[in-house]
Amino acid sequence: MRHIKYLFFIFLLTLFTACDDNTGSEKVDFDREAFLVNMADNVIKPSILNFASEVEGISVASSSFATNPSLESLNELRSEFKEAWLAYQHLAFVHVGPVSSVNLRDRVNIFPTNTELIEQNINNQDYIIGSASNVAAKGFPAIDYLLFGTGASQEEVLSYFGDPDLGESRLKYLSDVIADIQTASNIVSEGWDPYRETFISNIGTDVGSGTSLLVNEYNFQFDIRLKNAKIGFPSGGNPRTGGIVSPQSVEAYFSGWSGDLAKESVKSSIEVFKGQAFNSTTDGLGMDDYLDALNAIDRNENPLSTSIINESQAALDLMESINAPYSELAANEGSNLVEVYNQLQIVIPLIKVDMTSALSVSITFQDNDGD
């Protein structure tokens, strides 16, 4: 009976809010082109440029470290590395156009990284860093291992790279991984302006439209890469784990930055949802405004946009109360991470069912959670 009531609710929601897929905002007072222009110019492009700038920072610091390996150059490289990884968290929520074409998520942030494959590549020196077989041996997680997981102290990490037999090969591998990220970043940066017109001119909500791409990628990043990969799988909170914890599966396992990256991800999700200008408090046209124009409500008859923001913020508040690296928390069954996972799960039906129904957007990716 509960499912019947819910399906009836979705039917009514869809019936009263459906829009014309081809002509834009004929049935609701909302300018979808202006929405896409704001997302393109004030959210996506600045995020792309910021990521490119931070990646350039890693490249410069890496060259300095290779020329003069020292505690100072190592710390500078680590600092630049963290800034770039944080910058990626925002860009991952607008995975459209050239960002999607280079498959940035899989190219730079597959975790846990395969440390055995990394060492094998270094020893054999016959790798092609861009090959599919190395997807788990490159990107930010690989750098995380190389800069933090190869020694218990900074001195030991320096010794790893200073090894008389393998030191040069290890520095080369680090350089190749960073160069691969920079290549992807350059493609994205150079590809956005030519793609922009395609993005803002497709104002429908059918598959491939700007709105559909944004909503789908937003859902994918929130559900699959944030809720599940960062929190649910390591903590055992995701039902598919059977409650089995895997602390080594957290993002940034070696540096212990898992919490910082996850919080940045949730923070970014709220900013993108609101159409907030990148690195600014200026609130432009976003998905929240679109839902408000449609008078979309949740199952408790509250404004849907408010519920999405409030429930996401509640997850962020829970995460703010956690200080320990997620790998330490995940080692304990029923940890605070499970509580975070459950709070993130509350957001899923709001964005994946209620929002998509209100916007007449179809989810085009599949997962096995049954959300």
Side-chain angles (χ1 to χ4, degrees):
M1 178 62 83
R2 184 177 178 183
H3 290 294
I4 293 175
K5 288 182 177 178
Y6 179 66
L7 289 173
F8 182 65
F9 167 82
I10 294 301
F11 170 75
L12 288 177
L13 188 64
T14 303
L15 178 65
F16 288 115
T17 59
C19 300
D20 189 314
D21 285 348
N22 298 316
T23 59
S25 53
E26 291 184 357
K27 295 183 179 181
V28 63
D29 185 19
F30 184 77
D31 188 341
R32 276 209 291 262
E33 182 175 4
F35 158 64
L36 293 175
V37 167
N38 177 60
M39 296 302 294
D41 296 345
N42 299 320
V43 180
I44 300 174
K45 183 174 180 178
S47 183
I48 289 173
L49 295 179
N50 178 64
F51 180 71
S53 175
E54 298 298 349
V55 170
E56 175 65 20
I58 305 180
S59 180
V60 172
S62 175
S63 295
S64 177
F65 176 69
T67 302
N68 179 30
S70 65
L71 290 178
E72 182 179 4
S73 61
L74 175 62
N75 285 328
E76 178 63 21
L77 177 55
R78 285 177 167 181
S79 177
E80 295 289 346
F81 167 48
K82 185 175 185 179
E83 291 303 314
W85 210 349
L86 287 169
Y88 163 78
Q89 304 302 321
H90 187 281
L91 190 54
F93 273 97
V94 288
H95 203 264
V96 299
V99 190
S100 175
S101 298
V102 300
N103 198 9
L104 193 68
R105 291 193 188 103
D106 289 348
R107 187 154 174 172
V108 307
N109 203 34
I110 290 294
F111 59 91
T113 197
N114 188 332
T115 58
E116 291 184 6
L117 181 55
I118 291 173
E119 293 298 340
Q120 178 183 310
N121 286 340
I122 291 172
N123 286 325
N124 296 338
Q125 286 294 297
D126 61 352
Y127 59 86
I128 298 174
I129 203 70
S131 68
S133 61
N134 281 321
V135 70
K138 63 177 187 174
F140 294 124
I143 302 174
D144 185 53
Y145 165 68
L146 291 168
L147 297 186
F148 291 89
T150 52
S153 66
Q154 293 176 326
E155 289 77 10
E156 288 184 11
V157 172
L158 285 177
S159 295
Y160 172 83
F161 285 104
D163 183 90
D165 297 322
L166 290 172
E168 288 298 321
S169 297
R170 290 165 175 166
L171 284 170
K172 181 179 184 305
Y173 195 82
L174 174 64
S175 175
D176 287 346
V177 170
I178 292 173
D180 185 66
I181 297 174
Q182 190 162 32
T183 296
S185 176
N186 290 341
I187 293 172
V188 171
S189 297
E190 294 167 2
W192 178 255
D193 283 343
Y195 172 75
R196 176 186 179 275
E197 185 60 29
T198 300
F199 178 73
I200 66 173
S201 63
N202 195 343
I203 62 173
T205 60
D206 52 332
V207 175
S209 65
T211 300
S212 175
L213 291 173
L214 277 175
V215 170
N216 268 280
E217 294 300 336
Y218 185 89
N219 268 278
F220 184 89
Q221 183 62 26
F222 200 109
D223 190 4
I224 308 299
R225 295 300 172 88
L226 168 56
K227 185 203 72 177
N228 287 344
K230 294 177 189 288
I231 311 293
F233 292 147
S235 68
N238 186 293
R240 280 189 283 166
T241 67
I244 297 175
V245 301
S246 54
Q248 72 282 359
S249 297
V250 300
E251 189 178 25
Y253 173 72
F254 298 102
S255 60
W257 296 337
S258 45
D260 293 334
L261 298 177
K263 285 185 288 187
E264 187 68 19
S265 182
V266 176
K267 176 173 169 283
S268 296
S269 77
I270 296 172
E271 292 172 354
V272 170
F273 178 73
K274 295 167 67 176
Q276 189 170 312
F278 181 79
N279 204 23
S280 166
T281 57
T282 302
D283 187 9
L285 279 180
M287 289 179 265
D288 61 333
D289 300 294
Y290 196 172
L291 292 173
D292 289 344
L294 292 164
N295 294 316
I297 58 174
D298 66 11
R299 274 153 272 186
N300 296 316
E301 299 188 354
N302 296 314
L304 181 56
S305 63
T306 302
S307 296
I308 291 171
I309 293 171
N310 288 348
E311 297 296 352
S312 299
Q313 184 62 51
L316 184 57
D317 291 343
L318 281 174
M319 297 160 87
E320 293 284 2
S321 68
I322 297 173
N323 296 316
Y326 286 4
S327 57
E328 293 180 13
L329 290 174
N332 301 310
E333 186 177 352
S335 69
N336 291 347
L337 285 185
V338 176
E339 189 177 355
V340 172
Y341 173 83
N342 291 335
Q343 179 57 43
L344 291 171
Q345 178 60 41
I346 291 174
V347 181
I348 299 303
L350 298 174
I351 62 174
K352 197 171 181 180
V353 180
D354 298 356
M355 179 168 75
T356 56
S357 296
L359 302 183
S360 298
V361 169
S362 299
I363 289 292
T364 56
F365 66 89
Q366 293 183 334
D367 66 82
N368 299 316
D369 276 2
D371 296 319

